[in-house]
Amino acid sequence: MRAVRVTLASATAVALAAVVAGCTEKSDAKSGGGDHVIKVTAADDSCEVSKKEFPAGHIQLDVENKGSKVTEVYVLYPDDRIVTERENIGPGTSQKVTAEVKAGSYQIACKPGMKGEGYRQQVKATGGGSAAERDPKLDEAVAAYRKYAQQQADETLPLAKKFAEAVKAGDLEAAKKAYAPSRIGWERTEPVAESFGDIDPKVDLREDGLKSDQDPEKDWTGWHRIERSLWKDKKLTDRDKELADVLIKDLEDWQDKVNEAEITPTSMANGAKELLDEVATGKVTGEEERYSHTDLVDFKANVEGAEKSYELLKPVAAKNDPKLTAELDKQFAALDKLLDQYREDKDSYDFTSYDKVGKDQRKELSDGVNALAEPLSKLAAAVVTK
């Protein structure tokens, strides 16, 4: 489950791609200024920006966290849809986020502690602005990834329906057996989960992700709500049977939205990196599958989805930064090998129950994910480098 957020509604949304390091703004960044560079100073109780109006096109956020808490910075549309984001900005650290925006109104938000609505500034991009030129191979990569995402959605529905049928029949054991397989396709496409509208919080929300004004019994839907009933409550109620139908409806909606989703080369790259950050800081603790302990199934699917994104972008990235792709090849192989140690069968998706994975082993998994996430954070920049 990606961090809970309002997401892009459709492909008609304004096109924007976030990358880690500068593109056309590199000279501006070095000099610390320029019309396209916005300095963002985040603190525990404020979010200051150096300018509230700037030309449309490429912009660069120079973010500095002067607070005592880890923070995250967002660029948002007026209705709170996410344009771009950068999470896990530690106290006393700085990061750069490059984006391409069209003319219009936006908000820049800082969220100390990575919680709540945060502190916001209204900003405006002026003029016409233009889309950045990109290698035709990147368009091929986007088309191939969309096809991959569609395949995952199409393959997920029959597995999810099998799970839902077992839930509605009140068959606990059959539902438990069908649970993890029904989630694999979704977990593989999580690098671009934000492009599927509001599907993510509907199908993959954990209980601790609910807002303070939401009732777990009324407002919590998706796999993890039923997971709790299966493994913690050890019984299936009429509400669970209703939720099984809701899950299928939401997944069918996902299946329909893949074809129109806003997917870009940089959203593929940055989404993969953000997902691995989430794995390292959240999922590796066992929070994701806290009742079923099927976390390693999720991990493997997440890594496969990130690796698919990378492999499609690799032809361009390798041309621009061969050392980076060599390192990514090495780290993906190392993490795949590490995860495969927990397979019950090398040709299956049967993994060791995560409650049997010790503290040292979890640390090893976390270190492996972090070792991959660091070079992966540079992939988007390598993709757009001329």
Side-chain angles (χ1 to χ4, degrees):
M1 162 75 191
R2 304 295 301 278
V4 180
R5 52 180 71 94
V6 181
T7 55
L8 292 174
S10 71
T12 60
V14 177
L16 181 145
V19 296
V20 175
C23 301
T24 60
E25 311 85 344
K26 285 183 179 178
S27 60
D28 286 341
K30 290 180 180 178
S31 63
D35 290 343
H36 294 272
V37 177
I38 303 103
K39 294 182 179 179
V40 181
T41 305
D44 292 343
D45 56 2
S46 65
C47 184
E48 300 298 329
V49 297
S50 62
K51 54 175 68 78
K52 295 189 177 181
E53 191 168 301
F54 42 81
H58 282 100
I59 63 169
Q60 178 175 295
L61 303 184
D62 283 359
V63 183
E64 182 179 7
N65 182 6
K66 289 189 174 181
S68 63
K69 303 174 182 177
V70 174
T71 195
E72 54 191 6
V73 172
Y74 291 77
V75 178
L76 303 165
Y77 292 105
D79 61 2
D80 267 14
R81 285 175 296 135
I82 289 179
V83 175
T84 191
E85 65 181 305
R86 180 57 44 81
E87 300 178 352
N88 297 304
I89 305 172
T93 65
S94 299
Q95 291 197 26
K96 298 182 187 298
V97 184
T98 302
E100 184 189 347
V101 296
K102 291 187 177 180
S105 296
Y106 301 91
Q107 297 179 73
I108 294 178
C110 308
K111 297 186 179 182
M114 302 199 299
K115 294 181 179 179
E117 297 299 310
Y119 299 92
R120 303 186 178 201
Q121 296 284 357
Q122 304 294 324
V123 296
K124 184 178 182 180
T126 60
S130 60
E133 294 182 4
R134 67 189 190 201
D135 191 315
K137 290 182 180 179
L138 295 177
D139 291 321
E140 295 174 9
V142 169
Y145 196 85
R146 189 186 303 280
K147 183 178 180 180
Y148 171 76
Q150 189 69 64
Q151 179 184 13
Q152 297 306 312
D154 293 344
E155 292 178 356
T156 292
L157 259 295
L159 296 171
K161 287 178 179 178
K162 182 178 180 180
F163 170 64
E165 288 166 3
V167 171
K168 291 192 290 184
D171 190 334
L172 268 72
E173 292 308 312
K176 286 181 178 181
K177 186 176 181 180
Y179 172 76
S182 75
R183 290 175 46 74
I184 293 171
W186 171 261
E187 294 293 323
R188 283 174 175 161
T189 61
E190 275 209 282
V192 293
E194 293 181 3
S195 66
F196 303 134
D198 60 354
I199 302 300
D200 190 10
K202 287 183 176 180
V203 304
D204 203 24
L205 183 66
R206 301 193 302 255
E207 187 171 9
D208 55 318
L210 289 167
K211 296 179 180 179
S212 59
D213 61 347
Q214 289 182 304
D215 183 344
E217 301 310 315
K218 294 180 180 179
D219 302 319
W220 186 19
T221 62
W223 275 296
H224 294 304
R225 169 62 180 82
I226 302 173
E227 178 204 4
R228 187 186 72 174
S229 295
L230 289 171
W231 277 275
K232 183 182 179 183
D233 301 337
K234 295 181 173 56
K235 63 180 180 180
L236 292 166
T237 65
D238 289 341
R239 175 59 175 161
D240 293 309
K241 296 173 183 179
E242 293 172 359
L243 289 172
D245 283 331
V246 172
L247 175 63
I248 298 304
K249 179 179 179 299
D250 289 336
L251 290 174
E252 288 174 340
D253 191 18
W254 167 48
Q255 185 182 35
D256 291 339
K257 286 185 175 182
V258 171
N259 190 53
E260 63 181 27
E262 182 72 23
I263 301 173
T264 67
T266 46
S267 72
M268 290 166 57
N270 286 322
K273 191 269 181 187
E274 292 291 342
L275 178 58
L276 289 184
D277 281 349
E278 183 193 346
V279 170
T281 59
K283 292 186 176 184
V284 81
T285 64
E287 295 175 16
E288 178 81 347
E289 304 290 355
R290 64 189 64 181
Y291 306 116
S292 67
H293 304 302
T294 56
D295 303 81
L296 287 170
V297 176
D298 291 357
F299 293 177
K300 183 63 175 178
N302 288 163
V303 173
E304 286 178 341
E307 192 165 10
K308 181 67 174 181
S309 177
Y310 163 61
E311 288 295 340
L312 292 172
L313 296 172
K314 183 179 175 180
V316 174
K319 179 177 65 176
N320 294 330
D321 194 341
K323 289 184 178 180
L324 176 64
T325 53
E327 180 65 15
L328 284 168
D329 287 342
K330 174 184 174 182
Q331 296 300 338
F332 266 116
L335 186 55
D336 284 333
K337 182 178 180 180
L338 181 59
L339 284 168
D340 286 348
Q341 293 178 11
Y342 297 95
R343 281 186 190 263
E344 300 295 329
D345 183 313
K346 68 175 183 177
D347 297 321
S348 77
Y349 240 81
D350 293 327
F351 283 84
T352 301
S353 180
Y354 204 57
D355 58 337
K356 297 179 181 178
V357 178
K359 182 179 179 181
D360 290 344
Q361 292 171 307
R362 293 187 183 197
K363 176 64 164 53
E364 185 181 31
L365 286 166
S366 179
D367 290 345
V369 173
N370 283 324
L372 172 59
E374 193 282 325
L376 195 60
S377 70
K378 302 174 185 177
L379 177 60
V383 164
V384 299
T385 298
K386 292 295 185 181

